[in-house]
């Protein structure tokens, strides 16, 4: 019986192997970059087009050349970035090396699993209450930042951080999540379980409002901060007062920051679904009304929302059913 099945499997025709490479490349281009890489394990016909420019050109955003032309880069002349031997190499470069564009106002990269465009608004482009007052905030540099400038909070009793980005820059039909990217400086004060009010939405439309917490859960809050000498007696008195502890609900666990691969912290602000075809502006607001100090802001990132997706290729699903466990269906 087993011998008969083996003989039958040998005689089975793999129709992908007899298709012209152009047809196979066209079929793969309708999947995702992750599917394209994994499909090479299914048949030799897929492996032969794995590096095809016809495939990877479809995974690159339609305006990638225009975005690259706006780059300020240490990786060589702009035309060199457009002259990769294979479009796959360019795709992977843009996934792993965010490009600084628009004279340092934005960074642009690709989501490796989907090819969706991701951006970060530089801190220097954010509007911050008293942001131009050295007593409260200062512009500085940080060797760990992708940008040449970051913003450091010295001491302030309240603030509003405001940023916006044109939705025409974002990938259409894509769910995005916004994040504040930051880290504590040497002086940390006032963050212990104190909520920051967040509002994210399109100008003139209803916004998503929620509270987040900038202190890492479980981290010990320092008791004192170096208060500036210029502070008047009222604000110095307020800063030294004992504050009541804020009760944090259990469901707020997800509202605390996480550590990124680059060493910075990020706190999820809110989601936004970009339909595409509209030239509107996405606004991000953060508001604090308590005394705080010791925050270094790199920027606000807008990137593809990570959700559970099922592989769309039925042929690959059949292959996984026969050769591996169902857990391989999930792409995060």
């Amino acid at each position: 019986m087993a011998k008969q099945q083996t003989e039958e499997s040998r005689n089975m025709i793999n129709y992908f192997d007899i298709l012209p490479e152009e047809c196979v490349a066209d079929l793969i281009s309708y999947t995702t970059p992750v599917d394209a890489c994994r499909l090479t394990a299914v048949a030799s016909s897929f492996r032969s087009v794995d590096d095809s420019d016809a495939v990877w050109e479809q995974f690159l955003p339609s305006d990638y050349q225009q975005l690259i032309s706006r780059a300020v880069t240490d990786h060589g002349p702009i035309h060199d970035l457009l002259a990769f031997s294979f479009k796959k190499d360019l795709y992977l470069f843009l996934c792993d090396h965010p490009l600084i564009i628009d004279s340092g106002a934005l960074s642009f990269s690709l989501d490796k699993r989907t090819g969706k465009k991701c951006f970060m608004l530089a801190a220097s482009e954010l509007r911050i209450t008293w942001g131009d007052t050295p007593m409260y905030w200062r512009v500085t540099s940080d060797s760990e930042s992708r940008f040449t400038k970051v913003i450091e909070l010295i001491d302030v009793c309240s603030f509003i951080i405001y940023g916006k980005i044109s939705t025409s820059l974002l990938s259409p039909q894509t769910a995005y999540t916004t994040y504040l990217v930051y880290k504590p400086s040497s002086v940390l004060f006032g963050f212990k379980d104190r909520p920051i009010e967040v509002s994210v939405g399109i100008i003139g439309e209803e916004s998503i409002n929620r509270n987040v917490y900038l202190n890492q859960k479980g981290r010990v809050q320092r008791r004192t901060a170096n208060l500036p000498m210029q502070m008047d007696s009222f604000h110095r008195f307020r800063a030294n007062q004992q504050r009541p502890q804020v009760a944090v609900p259990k469901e707020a666990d997800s509202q605390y920051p996480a550590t990124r691969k680059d060493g910075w912290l990020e706190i999820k602000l809110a989601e936004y679904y970009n339909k595409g075809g509209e030239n509107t502006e996405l606004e991000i607001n953060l508001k604090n009304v308590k005394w705080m100090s010791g925050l270094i802001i790199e920027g606000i990132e807008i990137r593809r929302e990570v959700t559970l997706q099922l592989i769309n290729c039925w042929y690959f699903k059949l292959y996984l059913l026969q050769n591996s466990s169902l857990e391989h269906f999930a792409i995060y």
Side-chain angles (χ1 to χ4, degrees):
M1 183 67 178
K3 183 178 180 180
Q4 182 180 357
Q5 289 179 341
T6 303
E7 192 67 28
E8 289 177 354
S9 63
R10 289 177 180 174
N11 294 329
M12 288 180 63
I13 298 176
N14 187 333
Y15 291 100
F16 286 103
D17 287 337
I18 64 177
L19 285 174
E21 285 193 0
E22 294 79 5
C23 293
V24 176
D26 191 51
L27 287 171
I28 295 179
S29 68
Y30 284 99
T31 64
T32 68
V34 172
D35 292 342
C37 292
R38 292 182 174 178
L39 283 169
T40 59
V42 177
S44 58
S45 55
F46 292 144
R47 289 193 290 273
S48 65
V49 297
D50 178 51
D51 294 327
S52 168
D53 282 352
V55 171
W56 290 92
E57 180 81 24
Q58 295 299 314
F59 295 150
L60 289 163
S62 59
D63 59 346
Y64 76 92
Q65 295 191 43
Q66 189 265 338
L67 287 168
I68 290 176
S69 69
R70 294 157 58 180
V72 178
T73 177
D74 295 328
H75 300 287
I78 297 303
H79 60 78
D80 287 348
L81 293 178
L82 295 171
F84 276 96
S85 299
F86 297 101
K87 288 294 190 292
K88 181 179 180 180
D89 295 333
L90 174 60
Y91 178 92
L92 295 176
F93 179 89
L94 293 175
C95 292
D96 297 330
H97 302 86
L99 293 183
I100 306 302
I101 64 174
D102 297 350
S103 301
L106 286 170
S107 75
F108 155 67
S109 61
L110 297 180
D111 177 73
K112 185 173 288 187
R113 294 184 177 274
T114 63
K116 302 296 187 180
K117 291 181 287 185
C118 305
F119 295 93
M120 184 185 291
L121 294 165
S124 59
E125 295 300 306
L126 303 177
R127 283 170 26 197
I128 303 176
T129 308
W130 295 313
D132 57 353
T133 306
M135 176 179 174
Y136 302 118
W137 299 84
R138 69 170 179 172
V139 178
T140 184
S141 61
D142 192 295
S143 59
E144 296 178 346
S145 175
R146 67 183 65 180
F147 298 109
T148 57
K149 297 178 181 179
V150 295
I151 303 295
E152 181 179 359
L153 169 60
I154 305 301
D155 271 292
V156 74
C157 59
S158 65
F159 63 75
I160 295 176
I161 299 174
Y162 172 83
K164 64 180 180 179
I165 186 171
S166 172
T167 58
S168 62
L169 281 175
L170 305 178
S171 297
Q173 306 298 316
T174 302
Y176 279 95
T177 304
T178 55
Y179 296 87
L180 177 70
V181 181
Y182 68 100
K183 65 181 179 180
S185 65
S186 57
V187 177
L188 184 67
F189 176 79
F191 292 94
K192 181 64 175 177
D193 294 335
R194 291 182 182 173
I196 304 294
E197 298 176 20
V198 172
S199 175
V200 177
I202 298 297
I203 294 178
E205 298 182 9
E206 187 176 356
S207 300
I208 296 176
N209 301 293
R210 65 194 295 258
N211 291 339
V212 299
Y213 300 87
L214 300 186
N215 65 291
Q216 289 179 282
K217 191 172 184 182
R219 183 167 181 170
V220 177
Q221 175 75 40
R222 297 180 187 175
R223 292 180 177 275
T224 60
N226 295 325
L227 303 177
M229 295 301 296
Q230 302 96 322
M231 189 185 300
D232 59 55
S233 58
F234 171 75
H235 284 125
R236 182 172 290 276
F237 170 78
R238 289 279 297 156
N240 288 320
Q241 294 304 297
Q242 291 290 333
R243 303 290 201 277
Q245 293 296 315
V246 179
V248 182
K250 292 183 178 180
E251 59 269 20
D253 289 354
S254 62
Q255 297 170 298
Y256 284 89
T259 302
R260 297 160 52 97
K261 291 181 180 179
D262 58 12
W264 290 78
L265 297 176
E266 66 178 21
I267 180 66
K268 178 180 177 179
L269 303 179
E271 299 86 7
Y272 165 71
Y273 184 79
N274 187 48
K275 297 178 182 178
E278 300 176 351
N279 188 15
T280 56
E281 290 186 323
L282 179 67
E283 289 185 313
I284 303 104
N285 281 280
L286 295 92
K287 181 180 180 181
N288 162 62
V289 293
K290 302 291 184 180
W291 198 281
M292 291 183 174
S293 64
L295 191 70
I296 299 176
I297 299 175
E298 184 179 36
I300 293 177
E301 188 169 43
I302 304 97
R303 68 174 188 258
R304 178 189 72 95
E305 182 181 2
V306 178
T307 56
L308 181 64
Q309 297 180 350
L310 294 180
I311 299 172
N312 294 321
C313 179
W314 66 267
Y315 189 85
F316 192 38
K317 288 181 180 180
L318 178 61
Y319 176 80
L320 288 177
L321 280 173
Q322 295 174 342
N323 296 277
S324 59
S325 62
L326 288 174
E327 64 183 14
H328 290 99
F329 275 52
I331 296 179
Y332 293 90

